[in-house]
């Protein structure tokens, strides 16, 4: 398998992973925090959501830089 195909498959797998992580964050993680029986559940859910989105943006940036470096070799 040549470099371009490996990079494309890795980028596609990475994008699928990012989409699955975002769906998990929005569908399961944030609602479970919102449903917790304590008074700061809304604040905790916002913190979890913002942290999760920032982590996904960081992972997407790392995936992008990996793909660019892989194509430039």
């Amino acid at each position: 398998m040549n470099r371009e195909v490996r990079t494309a498959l890795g980028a596609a797998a990475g994008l699928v992973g990012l989409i699955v992580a975002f769906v998990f964050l929005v569908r399961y993680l944030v609602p479970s925090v919102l449903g917790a029986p304590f008074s700061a559940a809304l604040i905790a859910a916002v913190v979890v959501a913002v942290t999760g989105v920032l982590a996904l943006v960081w992972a997407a940036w790392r995936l992008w830089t990996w793909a660019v470096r892989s194509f430039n070799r």
Side-chain angles (χ1 to χ4, degrees), residues 28-45 48:
Y28 297 108
L29 193 59
V30 172
S32 69
V33 173
L34 278 173
F38 62 95
S39 62
L42 180 61
I43 295 168
V48 166

Side-chain angles (χ1 to χ4, degrees), residues 5-19 63 66-67:
V5 173
R6 265 197 325 263
T7 302
L9 289 175
L15 287 175
V16 168
L18 288 171
I19 291 169
L63 178 66
W66 168 79

Side-chain angles (χ1 to χ4, degrees), residues 18-62:
L18 288 171
I19 291 169
V20 168
F22 182 74
V23 168
F24 177 78
L25 177 73
V26 171
R27 177 68 178 100
Y28 297 108
L29 193 59
V30 172
S32 69
V33 173
L34 278 173
F38 62 95
S39 62
L42 180 61
I43 295 168
V46 169
V47 168
V48 166
V50 169
T51 304
V53 168
L54 288 175
L56 289 173
V57 167
W58 176 82
W61 174 74
R62 294 291 298 168

